[in-house]
């Protein structure tokens, strides 16, 4: 992969600019996207119409889910309010806290800053998708968090756990400093960073021993 | 042999739900037909709503209704309503609109035509204290329940002294004196006089104060983000003037509160009232932007401090004046600050004066270590400055001034149940290696200078006289009913451990019942002031003792012999007549009825416990009791923090390189969770002292820094990856389990250790204000003095 190609992939993976470009393309304003969404048709009354929903097929946690999505709807809102996956938390809706982190094709992404239309044809994994669907067995990272008694209020926990999961794929052997860098896109207001790092290091240890 | 539970690391029983996405916070609940409310927030800091025209909004498809201030409870005086036509800060909710989805509700809010009459406002309390200054209220700047509104000012002479950089001698509504400060100052070898500003800053818990409610007939179902549970239910009932027994109150998880959600939130009334009006469930999602305004804030202080020291470094006199920036609805941090100054430096001679001033800034509330965190982060650098001037080692200075067990503090000579602050300092000095680290003070590496500092911080850590309620069911398990909240401290589970130990139960046989008032909750403390661990290890110990006695009596009644001859362990009770399982004992207790299964309750339990106990009666063997252990003295816990920083003189950036936090909080119940409290609280204090800066536009009275990235809490890269902590671990002798609380004291310790270390890196110069952002540090390094020195909310 040459450098420009690598940068292109990086931008696709991480850029907030991609998100904003997507929003502009759909004719919505950036400021209104984060926390606004459409109720389901089940609610009865017709709603204020600004844009038309489109039926999409999404691959979420290994299942194909069909869902009506507005052009400017964020992935976090679709997950929480249309697919019932409330494990993905919204702490800031503006890419400041990382509570909404999910995996898209294995890469940690802020669900609040990604349009649902952007994930068509890509595999989305949320906190609900980490357990073994057949046995309920926890993932390596989740086991590590249980071992270490991680998190306090834990509103940030799903986001951190998704970031840890992505980290271990990229770097199975992190130092504490490397783990801190990998998780620095997530904010813990209880500031339980020491224990969160213990969880990350424990997860790496468990992953190595499998 | 019974399992040892107190003092061991046991993951809380709700952790599995938290890490699999199953844990439901308030915004995760759904109800059939649920609609969404949106708030209209005031765009100006003080105004009167003259006219609202919602016709266009209400005509929009999907809009259901509007809720106005005259439809919600309000009280006279400086008291907050959930909606108001007299907004007293930018961001105060004026009205709410409900619609079938949130986008429609937000569009409707935009379509409302609203006419405001702007009113004079106050952002900096000193402005309101000046002769002829503005008031935060049309009616005045001071309020008392007896006399109503009045105006309070300092004199032109006071301000002449202040403006010249001196310490004024003003009259204050709050004043107390102990000893003879004037005579003591005359005997001091060193007297330091400083002007100090401590910022006001918002709480920003990770979970905004979203909530949902619906009604079934006269019964309200409320899903609320709150620190407490049972007490929040009563607060909501009181706000809505309804029978608490008609509320099903659900608060299973809380994504942090730090004092901003103690008895719930004011805004929790909106869905409750709105859903009654429109007959549909209402979800009110609060955004981070809204949270900045309605999410509460720590009151700021502007202070004058005079501190006298004897030649050996002992503080012998304090004269402290605090002007508190109290927002529109008041706060009482200043009172605690005065007490804690006297407790921490034991001067014996102290004069304390304070005035709390209403301002048109977002409302204040207790923020983790309210009053204490501010005063400790303000005074510790002054203590260290005195140590330098007197040539006393700074560790020795802290040790010399810290209280002993016989300390008497405050205007009424309050006492402590126990104090081991000196042990905390000594243990910390050992772990930090103080002699080696202090030798690095002033070391240069390019533009980076090393500094070290110590912060010693106390806070209240207990209360008494709550109730415990638990039941052993025929399945042999102990169900501990908790009315306290689940805000992440793990006390919801940890305070049940003493009861389980008394009954010789393995932790697997203990079920914590919490978060839903329909399951039955005893009278509990509000989850604030670090009370819970102390209050509810006691209450659960008392109820556990009651259960233990009843188990023995049931065994004796069933198998013969004296109750006292029976031993309870491993899920069984054994004695002269044989052995029974606790499950069998529960069945027998139900047969025997009366007090054994809760049909007859102790006469002394609180009224609030009775409905819960009656509901559970007949389901097993009930342990229910009031904490009658009593005790004299105030319960305080301590944290000693030690920090090493590198200050870059070119950029003004401070990097924390090492931190050690040591606590004296009595018996350790759950070590790993305690460590998280000590370190997490310390880091929160560092954010308060260094990074979270709340700046207001003085012209328009509105905050500039209203999101996480503009008033930034510390992130993972702001702290070293190898923080250290420990506990002194000496039991408090006045409480059955020996445990005290821990939530608050680390904040002041972390903040002060950092501000002291920064001062040390600057050659002992105290900046005497927070937060110490790089621009403030650079201004000081470049000799730009006096800029905004006394102003609140100005960088």
């Amino acid at each position: 992969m040459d450098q420009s190609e690598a940068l292109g992939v990086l931008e696709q993976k991480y850029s907030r600019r991609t998100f904003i470009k997507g929003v502009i393309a759909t004719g919505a304003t950036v400021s209104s996207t984060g926390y606004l969404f459409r109720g389901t048709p089940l609610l009865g009354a017709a709603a204020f119409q600004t844009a038309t929903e489109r039926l999409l097929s999404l691959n979420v946690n290994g299942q194909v889910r069909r869902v009506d999505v507005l052009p400017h709807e964020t992935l976090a809102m679709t997950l929480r309010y249309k697919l019932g996956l409330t494990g993905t938390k919204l702490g800031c809706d503006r890419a400041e806290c990382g509570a909404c982190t999910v995996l898209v094709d294995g890469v940690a992404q802020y669900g609040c800053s990604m349009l649902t239309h952007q994930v068509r044809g890509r595999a989305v994994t949320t906190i609900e998708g980490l357990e073994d669907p057949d046995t309920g067995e926890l993932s390596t990272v989740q086991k590590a968090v249980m071992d270490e008694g991680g998190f306090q209020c834990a509103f940030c926990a799903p986001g951190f756990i998704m970031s840890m999961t992505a980290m271990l794929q990229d770097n199975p052997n992190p130092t504490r400093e490397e783990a801190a860098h990998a998780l620095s896109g997530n904010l813990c207001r209880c500031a339980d960073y020491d224990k969160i790092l213990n969880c990350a290091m424990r997860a790496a240890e468990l992953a190595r021993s499998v | 042999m019974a399992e040892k539970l107190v003092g061991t690391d046991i993951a809380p029983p709700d952790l599995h739900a938290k890490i699999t996405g199953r844990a439901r916070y308030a915004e995760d609940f759904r109800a059939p037909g649920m609609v969404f409310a949106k708030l209209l927030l005031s765009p100006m800091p003080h105004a009167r709503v003259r006219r609202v025209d919602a016709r266009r909004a209400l005509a929009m498809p999907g809009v259901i209704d509007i809720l106005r201030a005259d439809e919600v409870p309000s009280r006279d005086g400086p008291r907050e309503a959930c909606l108001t036509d007299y907004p007293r800060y930018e961001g105060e909710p004026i009205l709410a609109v409900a619609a079938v989805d949130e986008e429609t509700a937000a569009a409707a809010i935009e379509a409302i035509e609203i006419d405001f009459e702007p009113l004079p406002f106050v952002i900096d309390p000193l402005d309101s204290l000046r002769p002829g200054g503005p008031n935060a209220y049309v009616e005045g700047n001071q309020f008392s329940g007896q006399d109503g509104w009045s105006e309070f000012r300092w004199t032109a002479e006071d301000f002449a002294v202040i403006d010249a950089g001196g310490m004024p001698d003003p009259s204050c509504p709050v004043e107390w004196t102990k000893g003879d400060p004037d005579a003591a100052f005359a005997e001091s070898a060193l007297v330091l006089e400083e002007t100090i500003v401590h910022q006001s800053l918002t709480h920003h818990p990770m979970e905004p104060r979203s909530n949902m409610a619906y009604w079934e007939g006269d019964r309200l179902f409320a899903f609320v983000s709150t620190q407490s549970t049972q007490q929040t239910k009563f607060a909501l009932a009181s706000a809505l003037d309804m029978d608490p027994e008609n509320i099903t109150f659900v608060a299973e998880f809380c994504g942090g509160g730090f004092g901003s959600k103690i008895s719930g939130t004011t805004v929790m009334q909106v869905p409750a009232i709105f859903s009654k009006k429109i007959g549909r469930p209402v979800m009110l999602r609060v955004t981070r932007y809204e949270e900045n305004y309605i999410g509460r804030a720590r009151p700021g202080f502007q202070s004058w401090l005079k501190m006298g020291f004897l030649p050996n470094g002992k503080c012998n006199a304090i004269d402290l004046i605090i002007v508190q920036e109290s927002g529109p609805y008041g706060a009482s941090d200043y009172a605690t600050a005065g007490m804690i100054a006297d407790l921490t430096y034991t001067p014996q001679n102290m004069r304390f004066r304070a005035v709390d001033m209403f301002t048109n800034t977002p409302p204040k509330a207790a923020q983790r270590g309210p009053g204490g965190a501010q005063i400790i982060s303000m005074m510790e650098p002054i203590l260290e400055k005195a140590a330098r001037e007197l040539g006393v080692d700074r560790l020795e200075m802290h040790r010399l001034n810290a209280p002993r067990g016989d300390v008497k503090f405050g205007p009424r000579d309050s006492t402590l149940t126990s104090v081991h602050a000196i042990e905390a300092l000594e243990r910390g000095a050992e772990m930090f290696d103080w002699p080696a680290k202090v030798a690095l003070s002033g070391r240069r590496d390019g533009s980076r200078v090393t500094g070290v500092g110590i912060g010693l911080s106390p806070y209240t850590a207990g209360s008494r006289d709550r109730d415990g309620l638990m039941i052993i069911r025929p399945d042999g398990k102990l169900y501990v009913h908790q009315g306290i909240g689940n805000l992440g401290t793990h006390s919801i589970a940890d305070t049940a451990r003493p009861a389980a130990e008394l009954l010789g139960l393995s932790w697997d046989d203990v079920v914590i019942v919490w978060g839903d008032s329909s399951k039955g909750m005893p009278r509990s403390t509000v989850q604030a002031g670090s009370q819970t661990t102390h209050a509810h290890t006691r209450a659960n110990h008392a109820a556990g003792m009651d259960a233990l006695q009843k188990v023995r009596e049931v065994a004796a009644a069933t198998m013969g012999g004296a109750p006292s001859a029976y031993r309870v362990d491993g899920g069984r009770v054994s004695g002269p007549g044989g052995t029974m399982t606790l499950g069998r004992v529960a069945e027998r207790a139900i047969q025997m009825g009366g007090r054994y299964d809760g049909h007859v309750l102790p006469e002394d339990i609180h009224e609030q416990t009775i409905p819960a106990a009656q509901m559970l009666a007949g389901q097993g063997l009930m342990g229910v009791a009031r904490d009658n252990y009593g005790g004299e003295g105030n319960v305080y816990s301590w944290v000693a923090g030690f920090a090493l920083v590198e200050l870059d003189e070119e950029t003004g950036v401070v990097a924390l390189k090492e931190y050690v936090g040591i606590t004296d909080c009595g018996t350790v119940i759950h070590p790993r969770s305690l460590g998280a409290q000590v370190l997490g609280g310390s880091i929160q204090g560092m954010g308060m002292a260094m990074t979270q800066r709340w700046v207001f536009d003085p012209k328009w009275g509105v905050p500039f820094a209203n999101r996480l990235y503009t008033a930034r809490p510390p992130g993972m890269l702001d702290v070293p990856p190898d923080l250290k902590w420990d506990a002194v671990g000496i039991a408090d002798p006045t409480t059955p389990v020996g445990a005290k609380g821990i939530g608050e004291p680390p904040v002041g310790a972390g903040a002060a250790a950092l501000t002291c270390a920064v001062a040390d890196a600057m050659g002992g110069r105290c900046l005497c204000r927070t937060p110490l952002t790089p621009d403030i540090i650079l201004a000081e390094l470049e000799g730009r003095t006096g800029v905004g020195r006394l102003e609140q909310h100005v960088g």
Side-chain angles (χ1 to χ4, degrees), chain B residues 28 43 89 165 222 225 389 428 473 508 520 570 602 606 758 766 773:
Chain B
D28 301 334
Y89 63 95
S225 177
E389 297 204 8
R473 292 178 181 268
D508 291 340
H606 291 88
V758 171
C766 295
T773 45

Side-chain angles (χ1 to χ4, degrees), chain A residues 33 45 177 182:
Chain A
T33 54
E177 285 77 6

Side-chain angles (χ1 to χ4, degrees), chain B residues 695-745:
Chain B
V695 182
F696 281 69
D697 176 347
K699 183 170 180 190
W700 302 106
V702 299
F704 287 137
N706 44 27
R707 297 194 64 93
L708 294 173
Y709 74 92
T710 44
R712 204 173 61 85
M716 197 168 249
L717 298 178
D718 293 318
V719 292
D722 53 352
L723 303 158
K724 295 186 183 69
W725 76 277
D726 200 359
V728 171
I730 302 173
D732 184 297
T734 67
T735 190
V737 187
K740 303 188 281 189
I742 184 56
E744 333 268 333

Side-chain angles (χ1 to χ4, degrees), chain A residues 35 37 39 43 46-48 50 80-81 89 91-92 94 96 131 142 147-148 151-153 176 189 193, chain B residues 18-19 25 27-28 61-62 100-103 203-204 285 288 488 490 672 677 684 707-709 714 721:
Chain A
Y35 254 60
F37 59 96
L43 291 176
F48 180 66
T50 52
R80 287 185 54 78
Y81 281 92
K89 302 301 179 201
C92 73
R94 250 356 123 69
E96 297 172 272
E131 292 161 85
Q142 287 171 317
D147 284 355
E148 295 292 330
F151 297 99
Q152 293 186 48
C153 86
R176 255 180 114 79
R189 190 68 180 101
Y193 296 127
Chain B
K18 284 173 168 175
I19 66 169
Y25 298 75
E27 200 213 303
D28 301 334
V100 292
D101 59 53
E102 199 178 41
E103 183 167 338
H203 291 62
H204 278 317
R285 289 156 31 80
R288 178 58 51 192
H490 305 163
R672 209 158 45 188
Q677 287 285 317
Q684 276 196 349
R707 297 194 64 93
L708 294 173
Y709 74 92

Side-chain angles (χ1 to χ4, degrees), chain B residues 125-137:
Chain B
L126 287 182
D127 292 343
S128 194
L129 272 175
R130 278 188 194 267
N135 296 328
Y137 280 76

Side-chain angles (χ1 to χ4, degrees), chain B residues 35 144 150 243 335 438 486 491 510 517 540-541 585 658 671 709 739 752:
Chain B
V35 300
S144 88
S150 60
D243 180 355
V438 80
N486 187 20
S491 55
V510 179
S517 66
N540 284 327
H541 190 275
V585 169
E658 291 180 38
Y709 74 92

Side-chain angles (χ1 to χ4, degrees), chain B residues 241-254:
Chain B
D241 192 23
M242 65 181 288
D243 180 355
E245 293 315 306
N246 280 341
I247 299 179
T248 298
F249 188 89
V250 179
E252 294 176 357
F253 293 87
C254 173

